[in-house]
Structure formats: C-alpha cells, structure tokens
Amino acid sequence: MNLRDALLQGLASLPGTRQFHIHVLVSSPRKHSNLYPFAAPRPKTFLQDILVLLSEQPTPDSPRVLVSAIEASLYHVPSTSSAVLYVSKVDSTGQAKAPSPTPALVRAFLTYYVDPTTRPLPVAHVWVHLFARAQNQYLFPNSAEFPGKYPLTDVKLCAWWKRQFGIVAHDVAARVGQQGARIRLFYLLPGLGELEASHALERVYASTSGTSVPWSYGHPYSQTHVPLPCSPIGRGEKLTHIGHVVPWFDDDPKARFLDEIAYTTDAEGVKSPERKRPRSNHAIQRPEEDAEGGSDKKEASSSTKSEHTAFKKVSIEEFWERMSFRQECIAGAVTGFFVMATSSPTPTPHSEFSPLAPLPGQVSSQMMKRVLTSLMTGHEFPSVERAVWSTRVLEEAIKGLCDGLKIVQSGDIAQSPADDSHRRTPEPDGTASTLAAPETPPPRLINKKRTMDDVSPNPFAEPVASLETYNSCIYGSVAVSNPDEPRKGSIEAAGGDGKPAITVLTVRRKKRGKP
C-alpha cells in the first residue's frame, strides 16, 4: 500500500456525502548532511520531501476546491536503522464541509509512517517531530480572509496536536503491540510546568483514562526505550554533546538555538570571522597557495573544535530550560514540541535495497519545489471563486508536469478570471500586534564554502514522472457516502431508545440526629 491509498482509506470513513481528490508528491531520496550538523562524525542521512494536497467536491456537479494540505520531510539514517519524520506545516482553507477532513488526513498520514506494516522504509525506529505554533495560515495564501476559516488559538492548537498524536499512538499500539513494538509520547510547552500544561490542554480536550500509551512531559533525549537516530551510545561510545541528540530542521526553534550556541561564546558574544591576510599584487607561487589552503583547513578545524567546546558546556537539561526563555517560545503565545518515538523488531534486511534508489511513484525534487513555489506564490484562497480557480490551475499543473508539459508560468498564474481581474495580494497590516514568525538563517559558510559537502554523486538518475505514475501513485479519489454526524443534543446522539437523555439533579439533605 502506498501513501496515496493509505490516505484515501483514512478519508473513506468520514461522515456525510462528498468526494475527495488527493495529490501526493514524494520526492526521490537525496543525500543530506544537516540533520545533525554538529555531530562528529555526521551520520549518513537521506532526505525526502512530502507534499499532500486534498480537494473536496460536495456534489458531482460542483467544482473542486482545495481544503487541506500537509508538508513534511522524511529523513532516513541507515546506520542506526532509524527514520525521522518532521511535519513542518498543516493547513486548511476552511472551505470544506463539516466535519473537516484535516484531522482524519493527518492521522492517516502519521499512521502510515508509524505503523511497521505500512512504513515504506526498512527501519526499526521511527521518530515523529512537530513544533506547534499558532498562525492564521501556513500553506494557503490569504486563506485567513475567508469568513469560514477559524484558525485555532495557541492553546487549542497544542491540544489538537496532542489529541491527534494520542489517537495514532493508541491505534498503532492496539494493532501491533503484541509484536513487541514500543511507542512513547513526549510533549513540552516552553515556559509552562507540567501541571500548568496539563490543565491548559485538558480544558480543551479531556484525555481518556483508558489510553494505552501515556504521555511524558519533557524532552525525549534522556530515555533509553527507543534508540536515538544519532546517539553514539548505541555504538559503544560516550555521549559527547547535545549536537548528537537534537536534530536540526528548517524553520525550527531548536535549529536556531543550536546555531546560536555553536557560534556564540559567553565572554565574546557573536564571533566575527578572522581577518584575512591581504594578498599582494604580484603573482602568487604554488607553495604559497598550498600554505593558504592549509590555513583554510586549520580555520575549519579550529571552528569545529570551538563548536564542540561550546556544546559540551550546555547539557540537554539546560538546553531545554533555556528554550523556555527564547522569544519565539514565549512571545505572548503558547507553543509546543511534540515527539512520538516508536521501536519495532528489526525488519528483514533487504540485501538489494539502496537508500538512494527511487521507488515507484516518486518524483524529482525539482518538480516538488516548482509545485510548492506555485502554491505559495501564484495562488490565493480568500474566497470560494478564487479557491476554485487556484485549485483547477494547480491540479492541471501537476498533471501537466507528469505528462511532460512545462509548469504554468508565473505570468499565467497571476492571471485571474474575468470577475477577478483586479485581485491582488493585500499589503501587510503595519498595526499587527503579533510578531513575525522567525525564519532559519542560511547555513554559515567558512571561506565561502560549506564545512562538509556531499561530494559523491548520486548513482541514480532523477525519476521522470509519467501519466502512469500520476494515475497509480500521485492522484486518487474516493467517494464518501456515510450517515451524517449527529448533532449534539439530537435524538441519535442521545441513545438508541429514541428519547433524549435527561439528567436529574437531586438535593442531598442532611440527616438530623435523633433528639
């Protein structure tokens, strides 16, 4: 079962009558050396990008409209038989029928990679990371202007993600728990204690007492039930610093804090690059070039040593304690870190499996980048009319790329229907009370070069998508025809006798003693 079929199967049980159309783009594996950039030696890692677009069609005659989207990254670490799934963005347009398909889509997506019977990689350990930060929109531009979209607040968003993780962990544990699989759940709200965080989230979604996977408040880097993807402890070595356990993701507060620790000292502050030796005007001889190259290597090695020294001064407990004081975690809104760690029996080794070999249905990273750029810069979803037009253009572009056509040019994308000839992206409001979301800066260069490059080429060519790939792995649809969800207080929700449940409150009277 591929990812497309697993998502359609998860959507088939939704109440109501409608039809869902899904586009699933998974890039082919490529080498990636920045998951643990401060570990020595760096583990050999392979990265895949994932983009899921879900559109809804209420009736057969109505047009499609995008309602949900997921953007994620999948990291494969073969040396420790581990995979790391980072869910970077989940968004909705607010234009779907009730109930929203986003929760079911997210749960089916997580279950596909957590369940050892469906995950596409032959690994024994899977880590799912998520950073919850409330925003009005993530993947659908101007969707916050749609009147029917109600973005979750900070506490409600953290409670929503905690609920989705809990449901997935419970279902997977009930399905494969007898096979020796272990599942652990961790969450942390920076700036809040365990009691405060529990009470804040319980007021939104009350946790069930019979859950099979309990939650642990705190970070997951001190536990021993599930091996860490880059921890040297499993290789018989001692833990050196936090760079071996804390992963580095794009647009993640942990990554920005790791960079700050690596390039900042307590006494000097931010380090400035050393002044280069001025070059003379005359020709430089070969021995001098060799000497200059040797100095470059010395600078790189000294920089690496200083990074390791800075990390050794910060323990993992201190790292998370200081995270509670960072501006992006306490800037007037509650944020949350959620981690799901699973460990199952070692899968059957694939003698002919290569981590770089593209699987059927995967697309090139360039196609993934072009589709995502088109979604973020060439479309907007403030109304039903514009959302319908954007959905049609985007879905036709994905099919056209699979059929060997060029993607719609930016000038064509910017064109609008006749009634939307004056549509434009509104300017940002200068009176906004919330701070702009921070972004991860580009990696630091030493002598205009990366500290470590993937010099070995990929022996496999980039996959070329075709219409066969589009119909078998990328695009799919499912028609849902189930009873509508009963409303609260209705007869169906009350019980099977056809009468609404009535709660009678009785007054307890104090018994008087005998005179």
Side-chain angles (χ1 to χ4, degrees):
M1 178 185 295
N2 55 23
L3 179 58
R4 182 205 64 175
D5 296 337
L7 297 180
L8 292 176
Q9 183 178 352
L11 296 170
S13 58
L14 285 176
T17 302
R18 45 188 165 173
Q19 186 171 7
F20 293 108
H21 303 268
I22 197 168
H23 288 79
V24 179
L25 299 177
V26 180
S27 67
S28 59
R30 64 181 183 274
K31 295 182 180 181
H32 184 78
S33 60
N34 285 333
L35 181 61
Y36 294 95
F38 305 106
R42 297 188 188 183
K44 186 176 294 184
T45 310
F46 305 93
L47 170 63
Q48 290 180 271
D49 301 320
I50 305 171
L51 179 64
V52 178
L53 299 175
L54 179 67
S55 59
E56 181 182 291
Q57 194 174 9
T59 61
D61 299 332
S62 60
R64 304 180 191 175
V65 58
L66 282 171
V67 293
S68 303
I70 300 176
E71 182 187 3
S73 302
L74 180 63
Y75 303 86
H76 182 202
V77 187
S79 59
T80 57
S81 187
S82 302
V84 180
L85 177 65
Y86 177 62
V87 183
S88 56
K89 296 182 181 68
V90 174
D91 197 7
S92 64
T93 59
Q95 302 182 22
K97 292 179 58 178
S100 174
T102 305
L105 182 69
V106 170
R107 291 194 296 267
F109 180 81
L110 297 178
T111 303
Y112 177 76
Y113 288 99
V114 173
D115 193 340
T117 60
T118 58
R119 70 179 62 144
L121 297 177
V123 295
H125 319 293
V126 175
W127 291 78
V128 182
H129 289 261
L130 174 88
F131 174 63
R133 178 175 55 204
Q135 295 181 8
N136 292 334
Q137 57 197 24
Y138 300 91
L139 290 170
F140 295 112
N142 297 338
S143 60
E145 301 178 8
F146 183 68
K149 182 175 181 177
Y150 304 98
L152 296 178
T153 59
D154 50 357
V155 177
K156 289 184 177 181
L157 179 65
C158 294
W160 187 86
W161 275 113
K162 186 173 182 287
R163 178 180 176 85
Q164 307 310 319
F165 270 53
I167 294 175
V168 171
H170 176 75
D171 294 343
V172 174
R175 195 178 313 163
V176 299
Q178 296 81 6
Q179 304 176 6
R182 299 186 299 271
I183 302 179
R184 298 292 183 269
L185 294 172
F186 304 87
Y187 78 105
L188 179 64
L189 307 185
L192 298 181
E194 180 178 1
L195 189 60
E196 295 175 320
S198 177
H199 286 178
L201 302 185
E202 287 290 333
R203 286 182 294 180
V204 181
Y205 293 111
S207 61
T208 58
S209 59
T211 178
S212 58
V213 184
W215 282 89
S216 299
Y217 189 76
H219 63 83
Y221 306 118
S222 298
Q223 55 84 36
T224 57
H225 298 88
V226 181
L228 298 173
C230 185
S231 176
I233 298 179
R235 301 192 294 266
E237 305 175 9
K238 293 183 179 180
L239 182 63
T240 55
H241 53 70
I242 58 177
H244 287 91
V245 296
V246 181
W248 197 100
F249 303 117
D250 289 333
D251 195 16
D252 184 60
K254 300 189 301 295
R256 285 183 281 271
F257 193 23
L258 286 175
D259 291 341
E260 183 175 324
I261 294 175
Y263 303 111
T264 306
T265 58
D266 297 335
E268 302 175 2
V270 179
K271 291 189 250 184
S272 300
E274 297 182 5
R275 180 173 298 178
K276 295 184 178 180
R277 183 181 57 187
R279 286 190 177 184
S280 57
N281 296 329
H282 58 80
I284 301 177
Q285 299 178 0
R286 180 66 59 182
E288 294 182 3
E289 292 181 359
D290 297 340
E292 186 177 354
S295 63
D296 294 344
K297 294 180 180 179
K298 291 181 180 179
E299 291 177 4
S301 61
S302 62
S303 176
T304 304
K305 291 181 180 179
S306 62
E307 292 172 4
H308 293 175
T309 303
F311 281 126
K312 290 179 180 179
K313 295 180 180 179
V314 181
S315 64
I316 187 64
E317 301 295 339
E318 181 184 353
F319 176 85
W320 284 105
E321 183 179 356
R322 292 169 61 179
M323 279 291 297
S324 302
F325 297 95
R326 293 185 62 81
Q327 181 180 2
E328 54 189 315
C329 293
I330 59 172
V334 177
T335 57
F337 294 91
F338 297 87
V339 178
M340 182 191 306
T342 65
S343 180
S344 56
T346 305
T348 303
H350 295 193
S351 57
E352 300 180 357
F353 176 79
S354 175
L356 284 174
L359 299 178
Q362 296 179 353
V363 300
S364 64
S365 58
Q366 293 297 325
M367 176 179 173
M368 175 79 68
K369 185 183 301 183
R370 295 169 76 176
V371 173
L372 187 59
T373 303
S374 175
L375 172 64
M376 299 294 295
T377 61
H379 303 279
E380 56 182 357
F381 302 83
S383 63
V384 176
E385 293 77 11
R386 297 181 182 180
V388 168
W389 179 83
S390 298
T391 301
R392 177 178 56 83
V393 172
L394 191 62
E395 292 183 346
E396 290 178 356
I398 295 176
K399 186 176 182 180
L401 286 173
C402 295
D403 197 16
L405 302 178
K406 295 182 179 180
I407 194 170
V408 182
Q409 301 296 330
S410 58
D412 299 335
I413 292 177
Q415 295 178 2
S416 58
D419 55 342
D420 289 336
S421 58
H422 301 287
R423 61 192 275 266
R424 62 182 180 86
T425 303
E427 298 295 333
D429 187 6
T431 61
S433 58
T434 58
L435 298 176
E439 297 180 357
T440 302
R444 177 165 296 195
L445 305 179
I446 298 179
N447 298 324
K448 298 183 180 180
K449 296 181 180 179
R450 276 179 169 269
T451 57
M452 181 179 295
D453 292 331
D454 296 323
V455 294
S456 57
N458 189 346
F460 300 94
E462 289 276 2
V464 179
S466 61
L467 282 180
E468 181 181 358
T469 304
Y470 176 82
N471 294 322
S472 61
C473 300
I474 296 178
Y475 168 74
S477 62
V478 58
V480 177
S481 181
N482 299 319
D484 293 335
E485 186 179 22
R487 298 182 179 179
K488 294 182 179 180
S490 62
I491 297 179
E492 293 80 358
D497 55 354
K499 297 181 180 180
I502 300 176
T503 303
V504 180
L505 300 178
T506 58
V507 180
R508 294 184 178 180
R509 297 185 179 182
K510 186 177 179 181
K511 295 182 179 180
R512 296 182 179 180
K514 296 181 180 180

